[in-house]
Amino acid sequence: METKSLSLSKSDFKLLKEHLEKSNMSAYNKEKLQAELKAATIYSEDELPSDVVCLKSEARIANVKSGKEFTFKLVMPEEANIKVQKVSVFAPIGIALFGYRTGDSINWEMPDGIQEFKILEVNRL
């Protein structure tokens, strides 16, 4: 599976890097994120392409195996509220999708094993 490089704004890159240092995510996810951050393309805030999953964007994704679709907004942890589809950028799925674009597929280790997700649509809020 081809690995795409992440597209991140400067502030999102900093956010992820700081989180990585103090996070307790699985070794698989930590190594994956470290490698992705090394290879990331960094944009200034106003040059980030509009189909990139970033803070304050809304993503519609599908679990490739089950076909189940989910839509949620990525927010800071203090704004997270799953009842209204607001997911923390530091939640496993938030970190997994960060910096990817519409059409990309990603593998990420979830509590029930490694899952593949496809990004169907991204909207900047």
Side-chain angles (χ1 to χ4, degrees):
M1 184 173 135
E2 150 202 15
T3 308
K4 282 208 158 104
S5 75
L6 297 185
S7 304
L8 297 167
S9 67
K10 287 182 182 135
S11 61
D12 287 348
F13 177 77
K14 191 168 167 274
L15 201 67
L16 280 178
K17 213 167 166 52
E18 284 169 6
H19 179 66
L20 183 62
E21 286 160 20
K22 54 181 191 267
S23 156
N24 57 0
M25 61 176 103
S26 73
Y28 173 90
N29 288 350
K30 223 172 203 172
E31 280 172 27
K32 188 167 162 43
L33 184 58
Q34 259 168 338
E36 289 175 342
L37 286 175
K38 272 199 187 97
T41 306
I42 311 300
Y43 294 88
S44 66
E45 310 301 317
D46 51 352
E47 287 176 345
L48 188 69
S50 62
D51 67 342
V52 171
V53 178
C54 62
L55 187 59
K56 295 189 170 45
S57 66
E58 184 176 72
R60 188 165 61 88
I61 66 167
N63 180 311
V64 171
K65 207 159 62 184
S66 71
K68 245 171 128 174
E69 287 189 18
F70 309 90
T71 300
F72 52 80
K73 298 172 193 73
L74 280 186
V75 296
M76 288 305 284
E78 58 274 12
E79 296 173 57
N81 180 345
I82 201 66
K83 287 190 187 85
V84 290
Q85 280 78 48
K86 288 184 175 181
V87 174
S88 164
V89 293
F90 301 134
I93 193 66
I95 289 179
L97 296 171
F98 226 78
Y100 281 97
R101 303 174 76 160
T102 303
D104 288 348
S105 287
I106 48 160
N107 289 314
W108 197 252
E109 191 170 13
M110 303 303 272
D112 55 352
I114 293 173
Q115 300 284 330
E116 187 181 353
F117 296 96
K118 185 167 178 72
I119 301 173
L120 304 175
E121 190 182 356
V122 179
N123 293 303
R124 206 62 67 71
L125 302 171

